[in-house]
């Protein structure tokens, strides 16, 4: 697989919801969407399998008053950056596993950067060897190309070439909640925020997701485990934390831990 550089930045305008966590979905399929600030319910773009979609969640609006998160964490960085521009070499700890999963969920589509590049970069850098195969890589690429076409259609962009001036989709993790932890496997929920804009005159939109994922210790680093994610989904069934932004009292009630930037 060709190596590529990766720009590291990572629900209102609904074309954004269609792109949220796209790079992760083909690899895990356990993302759940809630509406963004001032948004209607999003389309079913993700779900319990790489090819299925979830039921749209209720609309979510960020409250006006700030409530300080009760739990904060600073996740460790990877020791180095690989040929895809992704951080690797995370410490063997629960926080190290969560840091890797947060990196998987950090992505940007902007300018000439495509979803296909993002998805293949994640596959190459983070997927456990237990699920690697030429057929699976091809499947991921095909799904990414279809989602890329849909995203560009919603943004009014050409099929090829850079996105419209000022258009972007950036997703990143703002909180997490551990489900199970051991020296060899860690699973948990990741709370994601996506900000997006269709062009330089459009208003920026914000959307939130919760994504269930698992990491396995393999070859001296944490890797994304699909089998572990499936086990975590069975265990967490019916116990999904509520989606709320940091600063919302519901964020604390749901048990999320907020993230601070590492120095």
């Amino acid at each position: 697989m060709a190596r590529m550089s990766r720009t590291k930045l990572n629900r209102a305008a609904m074309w954004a919801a269609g792109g949220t966590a796209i790079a992760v979905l083909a690899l895990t399929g356990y993302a759940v969407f809630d509406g963004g600030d001032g948004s209607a319910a999003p389309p079913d773009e993700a779900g319990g399998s790489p090819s299925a979609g979830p039921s749209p969640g209720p609309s979510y609006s960020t409250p006006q008053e700030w409530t300080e998160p009760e739990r904060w964490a600073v996740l460790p960085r990877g020791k180095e950056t690989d040929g895809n521009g992704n951080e690797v070499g995370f410490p063997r700890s629960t926080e190290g596993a969560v840091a890797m999963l947060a990196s998987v969920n950090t992505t940007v589509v902007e300018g000439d950067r495509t979803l296909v590049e993002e998805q293949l970069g994640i596959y190459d850098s983070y997927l456990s060897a237990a699920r690697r195969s030429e057929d699976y890589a091809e499947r991921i690429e095909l799904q990414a190309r279809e989602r890329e076409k849909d995203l560009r259609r919603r943004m009014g962009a050409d099929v090829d070439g850079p996105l419209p001036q000022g258009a972007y989709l950036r997703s990143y993790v703002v909180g997490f909640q551990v489900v199970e932890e051991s020296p060899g496997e860690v699973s948990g929920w990741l709370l994601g925020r996506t900000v997006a804009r269709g062009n330089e005159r459009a208003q920026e939109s914000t959307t939130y997701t919760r994504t269930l994922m698992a990491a396995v210790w393999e070859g001296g680093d944490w890797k994304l485990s699909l089998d572990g994610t499936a086990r975590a989904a069975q265990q967490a069934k019916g116990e999904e934390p509520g989606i709320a932004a940091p600063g919302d009292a519901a964020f604390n009630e749901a048990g999320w831990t907020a993230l601070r930037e590492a120095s």
Side-chain angles (χ1 to χ4, degrees):
M1 181 178 298
R3 294 205 175 262
M4 57 204 73
S5 62
R6 184 185 183 205
T7 305
K8 300 295 292 182
L9 299 170
N10 203 8
R11 253 168 49 231
M14 281 298 99
W15 64 262
T20 304
I22 279 179
V24 176
L25 295 176
L27 296 171
T28 65
Y30 290 98
V32 179
F33 292 94
D34 250 28
D37 299 342
S39 74
D44 5 330
E45 289 286 344
S49 70
S51 59
S55 299
S59 173
Y60 171 74
S61 296
T62 304
Q64 296 297 316
E65 296 184 2
W66 174 268
T67 300
E68 182 71 13
E70 296 174 352
R71 293 164 292 272
W72 287 93
V74 177
L75 298 178
R77 295 186 180 278
K79 292 181 180 179
E80 59 186 10
T81 300
D82 69 4
N84 296 307
N86 294 324
E87 287 189 28
V88 294
F90 294 95
R92 190 171 188 176
S93 64
T94 298
E95 292 77 13
V98 174
M100 184 278 292
L101 295 176
S103 186
V104 170
N105 282 269
T106 301
T107 191
V108 64
V109 178
E110 185 173 11
D112 58 1
R113 184 68 187 173
T114 69
L115 292 175
V116 176
E117 290 175 306
E118 288 288 299
Q119 214 161 37
L120 292 179
I122 287 173
Y123 173 97
D124 193 34
S125 297
Y126 298 119
L127 188 63
S128 169
R131 285 299 186 93
R132 288 177 176 270
S133 70
E134 184 175 344
D135 288 344
Y136 195 56
E138 291 178 356
R139 177 184 177 187
I140 290 170
E141 181 174 359
L142 287 173
Q143 289 188 356
R145 292 191 184 282
E146 289 304 311
R147 293 180 187 275
E148 175 83 23
K149 290 177 183 178
D150 183 61
L151 174 61
R152 285 175 171 273
R153 176 182 60 79
R154 299 187 191 204
M155 296 174 74
D158 294 334
V159 175
D160 299 311
L163 293 176
Q165 184 71 29
Y168 56 80
L169 183 149
R170 302 165 185 163
S171 299
Y172 51 97
V173 174
V174 296
F176 71 93
Q177 190 171 144
V178 173
V179 174
E180 284 290 327
E181 55 186 312
S182 72
E185 185 171 301
V186 175
S187 62
W189 290 98
L190 301 179
L191 179 64
R193 176 187 286 146
T194 293
V195 292
R197 191 169 69 170
N199 57 67
E200 59 185 353
R201 295 185 178 182
Q203 183 178 358
E204 184 182 80
S205 64
T206 303
T207 350
Y208 292 88
T209 63
R210 61 173 179 248
T211 308
L212 182 61
M213 305 180 75
V216 61
W217 187 254
E218 177 183 286
D221 201 359
W222 291 104
K223 297 295 182 180
L224 177 61
S225 171
L226 305 191
D227 295 332
T229 300
R231 287 191 293 271
Q234 288 298 319
Q235 181 176 356
K237 193 173 183 179
E239 299 180 0
E240 297 89 348
I243 297 179
D248 185 344
F251 181 90
N252 293 329
E253 294 168 4
W256 294 106
T257 296
L259 296 182
R260 295 190 192 275
E261 287 291 330
S263 58

